Amino acid sequence: MPASLADITQWLESQTDKELVITKQEDSDLDEVVMRLARVERRGERSDSPDDYTNGASLLLRGNGTVVTEGREEPLPSDAFEIPLEGLSLTETADDAALLVTERAKYEIKVRI
């Protein structure tokens, strides 16, 4: 069932203190983040961002976690995983999963049980 950005935010907030597996697919690149979600923040557009990728509206998932890319596991560079919302075209939620599709990437978020 299609969900709104408010539904996605509410679903994420209900997952606070749970471990999430976030899969980001951008072109042929696939990254996976495992994070214990501490809180969710919604950020409006910014003009002070050093790059175009993070200057628009976004969801910030705050918490400790690791990034798995090309078979290597490394700590998240900061305490946040950012989902840029520019070109958001699809959102869905289920009991233990959410999906966001933007013009740049597809984000699948699952609760690790």
Side-chain angles (χ1 to χ4, degrees), residues 52-96:
D52 278 347
Y53 194 79
T54 59
N55 67 350
S58 62
L59 282 176
L60 287 175
L61 309 183
R62 299 257 183 209
N64 293 319
T66 58
V67 179
V68 180
T69 183
E70 297 179 11
R72 291 189 323 248
E73 194 171 306
E74 299 178 14
L76 273 175
S78 69
D79 73 339
F81 181 81
E82 185 167 4
I83 300 176
L85 298 174
E86 186 174 338
L88 183 65
S89 62
L90 177 68
T91 58
E92 293 180 0
T93 60
D95 289 340
D96 62 351

Side-chain angles (χ1 to χ4, degrees), residues 1-10 88 91-93 100:
M1 168 180 206
S4 68
L5 185 55
D7 292 335
I8 291 285
T9 303
Q10 183 179 9
L88 183 65
T91 58
E92 293 180 0
T93 60
L100 291 94

Side-chain angles (χ1 to χ4, degrees), residues 96-111:
D96 62 351
L99 172 70
L100 291 94
V101 179
T102 69
E103 64 186 30
R104 291 185 182 226
K106 175 181 170 182
Y107 301 87
E108 294 180 69
I109 306 168
K110 296 181 180 174
V111 178

